[in-house]
Amino acid sequence: MPTPTTPHASRPGRWSARRRAAVDSVSGLPRQFWWLWTSTLINRLGAFVATFLALYLTVERGYSASYAGLVGALYGLGGVISSVGAGVLTDRLGRRPTMLIAQLSTSVSVAVLGFMEDPVAIAVVAGVVGMATNASRPAVQAMMADIVAPEDRVRAFSLNYWAINLGFAVSSTAAGLIAQHGYLALFLGESALVLTCAVVVFVKLPESRPPADTPAGPQDPAGRGASAAPVSMLTVLRDGRFMTVVGLNLLLALLFQQAYVSMPVSMGRDGFSSADFGAVIAVNGILIVLLQIPVTRFIEHRSPATLLIGSALLAGYGFGLTALAGSVAMYALAVAVWTLGEIINSPTQMGLVVRLSPVHGRGRYQGMYALSWSIASLTAPLIGGTVIDHYGADTLWTGCAVIGTVAALGYGLLLRSLPATRTATTSTSASGSPAPASASAPAPASVSGSARTSAAAPATEEPLA
């Protein structure tokens, strides 16, 4: 007679399965990626100033809320300007030089901002900090696309996004404690950590920009490679399919930005305290840290069209649920719904951007994609505040549901006929042992210096939808 399985007997099996799942989530990615991931984590661990800039100006310096808003707008405007410029530099100078310029500029400008006292000087330097802080984004995303095989990119982007949110969660908590000893420590602490990030990039990350004679590959389904006309920002603007993706991302970015301006205003008008808002918005960070990796394992080989449509609906109706919120628990439920949309959308959207970008135009394409986020961070507070003041918060949240629906329809129409090009490759390591077949871009020089050669089989196409 078989012995019945007890919960205690099955527990080792469950732990073993979880360990295997965790290992599978992080295995197979190149060493360069992990150094890039480490630099991202260090960078976000020091993201003190942007989070506490308004409090610093109003509490520590005694300036008005309107002046703090102006400085915040200039910070955002700096990000808008640098998105395009950094994209061009990423393609012309390379990924590594662009990151180093951005990080060193951030380290210096943040430290200088801590010593500024004149209101005009503070505003000008804050704009420079915004430019410098945002300038590394296109280079980071382009390098990640260069060094990670196509079939692993969604997982890689997800892990990077997880590092961003983990670092932000830690830095937000630490900044509150550090500020008790003086706000100057925040500026100098961020400056030091960003400088550490630059050291990691300089020592551990070689340049990954593809050589000028790299042909169009599987990551470039449109066939635009080095033999095609040079890529310019005008090329990006004329790429209707890609610009449609940027526009749809802008709609969703406008939704996600409402969480940090319109939601606290709405909760305040409903009689909730700042502590209540803090507890509610913490749900976002907690869920991303806990769910980003397991959710990515579930979605990474699924249809991007389906995922983007679903994420747009979750984002739109998650914010729409806020109109029905009458308690902290209901607000938290709304946050949980749109956070799930964010978890699904971010790695899927970034993977799509890479697939639509020509190899030698990745920097410019990533710069345009980053521009949509910068514009959203600049305009979302104005839009949300205006709608709440003139039409009420419920109108804003209902509008969010409508925008999510429009974005979902847009993704459905855009992606239903978009082909996915996959190339099977057989890789051989320096030791001569064959690696499993995979879809891979030309391999950059690795940190360990091992050489890789690949022979690509004919590409096959299948619809994304």
Side-chain angles (χ1 to χ4, degrees):
M1 182 176 179
T3 304
T5 302
T6 66
H8 294 287
S10 62
R11 192 171 299 164
R14 289 201 300 269
W15 280 111
S16 178
R18 290 171 184 171
R19 282 196 299 270
R20 284 197 302 271
V23 170
D24 290 343
S25 297
V26 300
S27 63
L29 295 170
R31 188 181 303 176
Q32 277 178 281
F33 166 79
W34 288 111
W35 284 117
L36 188 61
W37 184 91
T38 300
S39 72
T40 297
L41 180 61
I42 294 171
N43 199 329
R44 297 309 298 174
L45 286 172
F48 302 141
V49 173
T51 306
F52 283 79
L53 184 58
L55 281 175
Y56 165 72
L57 294 173
T58 54
V59 176
E60 181 75 4
R61 293 290 188 181
Y63 292 115
S64 65
S66 59
Y67 173 77
L70 172 64
V71 172
L74 289 173
Y75 182 95
L77 180 61
V80 170
I81 295 171
S82 67
S83 295
V84 176
V88 175
L89 288 178
T90 297
D91 286 336
R92 288 188 175 180
L93 291 182
R95 285 64 159 136
R96 184 171 178 260
T98 302
M99 281 191 281
L100 289 173
I101 291 171
Q103 290 159 0
L104 292 174
S105 300
T106 300
S107 180
V108 172
S109 59
V110 165
V112 170
L113 182 59
F115 292 99
M116 291 294 100
E117 295 185 359
D118 180 77
V120 175
I122 290 174
V124 171
V125 177
V128 174
V129 172
M131 291 179 62
T133 301
N134 198 60
S136 63
R137 185 178 299 178
V140 170
Q141 303 298 341
M143 178 175 279
M144 201 170 299
D146 295 338
I147 64 180
V148 176
E151 71 273 13
D152 291 328
R153 283 183 187 144
V154 169
R155 183 159 55 99
F157 284 128
S158 178
L159 287 166
N160 193 64
Y161 191 65
W162 183 76
I164 290 172
N165 284 277
L166 178 62
F168 179 76
V170 174
S171 69
S172 298
T173 304
L177 300 175
I178 295 172
Q180 294 177 2
H181 302 284
Y183 278 88
L184 180 60
L186 290 180
F187 292 92
L188 297 180
E190 176 164 345
S191 176
L193 284 171
V194 175
L195 184 60
T196 303
C197 178
V199 171
V200 171
V201 171
F202 182 77
V203 174
K204 293 296 185 180
L205 286 174
E207 178 56 54
S208 68
R209 182 175 54 166
D213 58 350
T214 302
Q219 72 279 18
D220 187 10
R224 298 166 293 184
S227 61
V231 178
S232 66
M233 289 309 302
L234 187 59
T235 307
V236 181
L237 292 171
R238 287 175 173 172
D239 190 337
R241 186 167 58 188
F242 176 77
M243 290 305 297
T244 301
V245 170
V246 171
L248 293 172
N249 183 70
L250 175 59
L251 292 180
L252 294 183
L254 288 170
L255 295 186
F256 292 128
Q257 290 295 325
Q258 299 305 323
Y260 306 101
V261 179
S262 299
M263 183 174 289
V265 171
S266 177
M267 291 184 69
R269 290 192 173 191
D270 287 344
F272 294 98
S273 67
S274 58
D276 293 329
F277 171 72
V280 167
I281 202 62
V283 172
N284 173 255
I286 292 171
L287 288 181
I288 289 176
V289 171
L290 293 179
L291 299 181
Q292 184 71 64
I293 294 177
V295 168
T296 299
R297 282 183 54 79
F298 177 76
I299 69 173
E300 63 179 326
H301 298 302
R302 298 180 185 273
S303 161
T306 302
L307 296 174
L308 290 171
I309 291 169
S311 67
L313 292 174
L314 286 169
Y317 288 96
F319 279 101
L321 278 175
T322 310
L324 305 177
S327 64
V328 170
M330 191 63 188
Y331 273 107
L333 175 62
V335 170
V337 173
W338 61 254
T339 296
L340 183 58
E342 182 182 4
I343 289 171
I344 295 171
N345 178 269
S346 179
T348 308
Q349 182 93 279
M350 288 188 285
L352 177 63
V353 169
V354 173
R355 293 172 69 174
L356 294 177
S357 306
V359 175
H360 297 285
R362 278 179 179 157
R364 289 174 173 86
Y365 274 69
Q366 289 290 347
M368 185 60 68
Y369 173 67
L371 179 64
S372 65
W373 283 101
S374 298
I375 291 175
S377 66
L378 185 62
T379 59
L382 300 176
I383 295 172
T386 300
V387 173
I388 289 176
D389 285 342
H390 290 85
Y391 305 103
D394 288 352
T395 301
L396 174 66
W397 305 128
T398 302
C400 287
V402 173
I403 290 174
T405 303
V406 170
L409 290 173
Y411 281 123
L413 293 173
L414 176 70
L415 301 180
R416 61 181 178 178
S417 60
L418 185 65
T421 306
R422 299 178 184 270
T423 300
T425 66
T426 303
S427 301
T428 305
S429 66
S431 63
S433 58
S438 64
S440 132
S446 68
V447 175
S448 62
S450 61
R452 297 179 62 191
T453 58
S454 62
T460 58
E461 291 190 354
E462 56 182 298
L464 274 175

